[in-house]
Amino acid sequence: MYMTDEGSNYKDFIGYAAIRAKVDKKMDEPYSGPVEVFLEFHYADRRRRDVDGAIKLTLDAIEGIVYLNDYQVYSLHVKKFHEKEDMVKIKVVPY
């Protein structure tokens, strides 16, 4: 599968952020059971964007860090906002 440099950089950034959050929360191992994921995408510009690509990149980026595989996602909540700065908020909890 082809991924743009921008997509690759985004995926790396989210993965590193997930590792830092995992350490901060003293989470030893990824979740092994079903999980519920909450995603918020905040965009600084008003370009028309589909969120499906961002969802896939984000779920793949935290795979193996927060949970073992994205097949564990039983519930997914997604919101999109237009804000002053770009930001992604991710929350993963046992389902």
Side-chain angles (χ1 to χ4, degrees):
M1 179 176 139
Y2 174 77
M3 185 181 304
T4 64
D5 287 342
E6 182 181 11
S8 180
N9 291 339
Y10 171 82
K11 189 174 175 182
D12 289 345
F13 177 79
I14 295 298
Y16 294 136
I19 290 168
R20 286 193 311 270
K22 185 177 170 182
V23 169
D24 289 346
K25 297 199 179 288
K26 296 176 177 52
M27 185 178 174
D28 294 328
E29 297 294 325
Y31 289 121
S32 59
V35 295
E36 184 170 20
V37 179
F38 299 84
L39 300 174
E40 288 186 9
F41 298 100
H42 299 253
Y43 297 110
D45 59 42
R46 293 268 179 197
R47 286 186 290 162
R48 293 174 56 168
R49 302 172 189 246
D50 294 336
V51 294
D52 56 336
I55 293 167
K56 177 70 174 146
L57 275 174
T58 304
L59 294 179
D60 287 350
I62 63 176
E63 185 176 78
I65 301 167
V66 179
Y67 47 75
L68 298 172
N69 192 288
D70 59 12
Y71 71 78
Q72 294 170 247
V73 177
Y74 276 53
S75 180
L76 177 63
H77 308 269
V78 180
K79 294 181 180 181
K80 178 172 75 170
F81 301 92
H82 293 286
E83 300 285 339
K84 294 180 182 176
E85 63 181 314
D86 290 330
M87 178 178 22
V88 178
K89 293 182 180 181
I90 305 166
K91 180 180 177 183
V92 180
V93 296
Y95 182 73

